[in-house]
Amino acid sequence: MSVPDHGTPRDPEYAVVIPTLGRPSLGACLRALAAALDTGGPAPRRIVLVDDRPPYDPTPLAVDVPDRLRALVTSLPGCAGGPAAARNAGWEAAPEPWIVFLDDDVLPGPRWATDLAADLAAAGPSTAGTQARITVPLPRDRPPTDWERNTAGLATSQWITADMAYRRSALAALGGFDERFPRAFREDADLALRALDAGWTLTIGSRRTTHPVRPADRWVSVRTQAGNADDVLMNRLHGRGWWARAGAPRGRLPRHLAVTAAGTGALALAAARRPRAAALSAALWLAGTAEFAVARILPGPRTRDEITTMALTSAVIPPVAAWHWTRGLLRHRRERPREPGAPPPDGTGRADREHMDGPVR
């Protein structure tokens, strides 16, 4: 696919799109954005908040929009379709040549607007997108927890939409985000790989954005295992080499599958009244679970609460990961690799949207 020739203005026009569930962090994000605009640089033509709460929730977004941004902010319903669908709704409602996607829990830096203008002005005709430099603040008085280390990985991730600007014409040519990715996971890597396959380039800009570690409960690491189903879809669409192309870590899925098989085997052998074989299988399960827990405990603060969390979740994560991987294999068994530059298939939720463009109340 040939990339069209686009002129790049000195003072790029852009819109900001923020999918949100109405978390308290949205207000902090908007305040940081307003502060960045006060220090210079062009303001966005519009800021689109895509309200991705369930459609039956009639309450307005609980956000205090700074006066600096009030005339720029509009709200759209996202119908709880996930971040990919919400971003599609946002960029489709914004005619500006550049669309800057922000997560609702990031904090644009003090020079963000000025540096963004430089990033967009430096984009060549074949540049589809430019990524911010992400910083994840970690505690200085103790080692980070498992969840904090997990979040810190965003600082070295490629093409994440925590702060990613895309040329609107590239989004249109690529068909936007693939809404078969229902979570904030892999939908950004999928779009980036499709852009590269179509002949576009992606760059890392100079602007800086902070991604704080959001509060989470004890079981957050268990819930994130749902992403294993999305990895199956990535394998189907991009082949197994996508991990290296996207700079994504492979993770521990093979070990999780082995540990789960050992545990399942122990139960089955016990039911079949084969105690020695069951004991051996149980020992393998226990060894694998203990190794996983120790690998997560040693780099952390080793507090009683952290050790308890790691011990409990290290026993639960392998079977949950195996379940989601199996679910993904069944759900995506008929998917085939796309031709370079091909958009997502029809019927992924992008058609027949009704946009409600108006000020946030």
Side-chain angles (χ1 to χ4, degrees):
M1 174 182 173
S2 62
V3 176
D5 186 12
H6 298 278
T8 305
R10 291 186 177 181
D11 192 7
E13 298 179 5
Y14 69 98
V16 173
V17 172
I18 306 176
T20 183
L21 295 172
R23 296 184 292 189
S25 58
L26 175 60
C29 175
L30 293 177
R31 289 191 294 273
L33 182 56
L37 296 178
D38 286 339
T39 63
R45 292 300 178 94
R46 71 190 72 236
I47 300 171
V48 182
L49 305 182
V50 186
D51 182 355
D52 206 32
R53 296 175 300 168
Y56 50 79
D57 188 343
T59 59
L61 279 174
V63 57
D64 184 14
V65 179
D67 292 338
R68 178 72 170 80
L69 306 180
R70 193 169 296 277
L72 304 175
V73 174
T74 60
S75 178
L76 301 178
C79 299
R87 294 190 190 103
N88 283 338
W91 74 260
E92 288 171 347
E96 284 70 26
W98 285 95
I99 310 295
V100 183
F101 296 105
L102 296 178
D103 285 350
D104 70 352
D105 55 353
V106 302
L107 302 172
R111 287 182 45 86
W112 184 87
T114 299
D115 292 339
L116 171 67
D119 293 344
L120 300 186
S126 64
T127 301
T130 176
Q131 178 185 337
R133 298 176 185 269
I134 304 297
T135 299
V136 178
L138 295 175
R140 297 184 178 182
D141 59 341
R142 59 167 175 78
T145 64
D146 179 72
W147 175 239
E148 289 166 343
R149 295 194 303 273
N150 181 280
T151 304
L154 296 174
T156 55
S157 297
Q158 293 185 17
W159 324 132
I160 59 172
T161 42
D163 184 342
M164 183 78 185
Y166 269 101
R167 199 185 293 272
R168 194 183 193 283
S169 58
L171 292 169
L174 297 167
F177 292 87
D178 190 334
E179 296 177 18
R180 288 173 294 180
F181 292 93
R183 285 166 286 275
F185 192 69
R186 304 305 190 207
E187 84 292 351
D188 43 14
D190 168 73
L191 177 61
L193 292 180
R194 285 191 283 123
L196 295 172
D197 288 342
W200 297 90
T201 60
L202 299 168
T203 65
I204 297 178
S206 61
R207 67 192 186 279
R208 296 186 176 274
T209 292
T210 298
H211 193 304
V213 179
R214 70 173 185 268
D217 62 28
R218 171 167 287 171
W219 303 103
V220 62
S221 58
V222 176
R223 292 194 298 274
T224 61
Q225 300 309 310
N228 283 287
D230 303 313
D231 283 347
V232 173
L233 180 55
M234 289 291 288
N235 284 347
R236 298 295 194 202
L237 298 179
H238 300 283
R240 294 187 179 276
W242 75 265
W243 301 89
R245 295 180 60 207
R250 289 300 303 263
R252 297 176 62 103
L253 180 66
R255 296 187 188 185
H256 291 336
L257 294 176
V259 169
T260 301
T264 303
L267 295 175
L269 290 167
R273 297 184 179 181
R274 299 177 58 185
R276 291 185 178 179
L280 176 60
S281 191
L284 292 174
W285 170 84
L286 182 59
T289 301
E291 182 276 331
F292 183 34
V294 170
R296 301 169 71 205
I297 290 170
L298 289 180
R302 305 184 202 177
T303 62
R304 177 180 298 179
D305 184 67
E306 177 75 357
I307 292 173
T308 301
T309 297
M310 295 301 98
L312 292 173
T313 57
S314 293
V316 176
I317 284 175
V320 172
W323 159 251
H324 285 296
W325 178 261
T326 303
R327 180 174 61 85
L329 289 174
L330 294 173
R331 181 174 183 179
H332 302 303
R333 63 188 182 279
R334 296 182 180 178
E335 300 293 347
R336 294 292 182 270
R338 293 197 201 98
E339 293 296 325
D346 293 337
T348 57
R350 297 191 60 238
D352 300 325
R353 279 204 197 91
E354 294 182 0
H355 296 305
M356 296 173 60
D357 201 358
V360 173
R361 296 292 196 275

